[in-house]
Amino acid sequence: MIACRFLFLSAVLLLPGCYIEGSSCSGPFCVSVATEVGSQSCGIGCDQRFQCPDADVVRVLSTDAINQARQSVSTQSITQSSCGLQRNLSTVVWNEILFAAADRHARDMASNNFVDPIGSDGLSVADRVSGLDSSLTNASQLVAGGFSDPQALINAWLRLTEECSLLRNESVSQFAMACRYDENSDFGTYWSLVLADQQ
């Protein structure tokens, strides 16, 4: 079992936990959001013996969770956040090209033990997506470490304003989510979710 890592949450509180980060790009301009999340959001405490769910399970659960968040403004997870809840949004569909981009980055994070939307090669999500399919635009990404399943992670993102806004971005129609595991890493599981629009 990997030793528990402590993350700074406030001026007076240190708790074991997980880490999530997001980025959004429009043309050459990108914003990045980093948030440290206590262990209750992870659902795992400091025990990192779990591994990633099967890729098909990730696809089904993430599709359901994200589309529920985009359709239901009364979702309990969202009510704690102030992201755009004015109206229901169109559903997003799974995209295998985005999965290739998400999986490549999740593997990079797990292998190199980091959580960041910028890869160890210096590439952003826009670089990874445009390199695979130039018809995919408005790419954005959320990444995380230390979560046990996609539903728990998406619920954690929905409680945070910036991350929730990326999940409820009305300018995207496609998405994919990937998880990679490394037993020698700080967080065990490394997650990458990529959203984009298809021209």
Side-chain angles (χ1 to χ4, degrees):
M1 179 166 46
I2 297 171
C4 182
R5 182 174 181 178
F6 287 86
L7 299 173
F8 187 73
L9 295 180
S10 73
V12 294
L13 181 63
L14 286 172
L15 291 175
C18 300
Y19 187 78
I20 60 181
E21 186 161 338
S23 69
S24 176
C25 296
S26 176
F29 303 102
C30 298
V31 296
S32 179
V33 178
T35 307
E36 293 157 332
V37 179
S39 61
Q40 289 183 343
S41 296
C42 306
I44 59 164
C46 295
D47 186 349
Q48 296 186 353
R49 290 175 294 181
F50 61 88
Q51 295 190 19
C52 292
D54 181 78
D56 287 336
V57 172
V58 172
R59 178 180 53 80
V60 170
L61 293 180
S62 62
T63 299
D64 290 346
I66 292 171
N67 282 319
Q68 181 183 7
R70 291 173 66 85
Q71 293 297 308
S72 175
V73 297
S74 62
T75 299
Q76 185 178 11
S77 299
I78 298 178
T79 57
Q80 300 173 29
S81 170
S82 59
C83 78
L85 305 178
Q86 297 83 359
R87 62 186 182 281
N88 289 340
L89 303 172
S90 61
T91 59
V92 292
V93 296
W94 185 268
N95 182 297
E96 285 297 325
I97 294 172
L98 293 180
F99 176 73
D103 189 54
R104 174 182 169 186
H105 191 63
R107 185 189 306 269
D108 182 22
M109 291 190 297
S111 298
N112 294 294
N113 195 25
F114 72 97
V115 180
D116 195 289
I118 302 299
S120 62
D121 55 7
L123 297 179
S124 70
V125 63
D127 297 324
R128 286 186 290 275
V129 170
S130 64
L132 294 171
D133 187 343
S134 60
S135 72
L136 291 165
T137 62
N138 296 323
S140 61
Q141 181 177 33
L142 293 168
V143 298
F147 284 78
S148 57
D149 67 83
Q151 181 71 62
L153 175 52
I154 290 167
N155 286 344
W157 277 329
L158 289 172
R159 289 192 290 270
L160 302 167
T161 302
E162 291 86 355
E163 288 83 349
C164 181
S165 295
L166 288 178
L167 290 171
R168 287 184 51 84
N169 181 356
E170 59 187 326
S171 299
V172 300
S173 61
Q174 321 274 311
F175 92 101
M177 186 176 198
C179 179
R180 287 291 174 167
Y181 171 79
D182 190 305
E183 65 181 358
N184 297 315
S185 65
D186 288 342
F187 294 110
T189 56
Y190 291 76
W191 297 81
S192 174
L193 186 147
V194 178
L195 303 107
D197 195 25
Q198 185 92 53
Q199 288 183 336

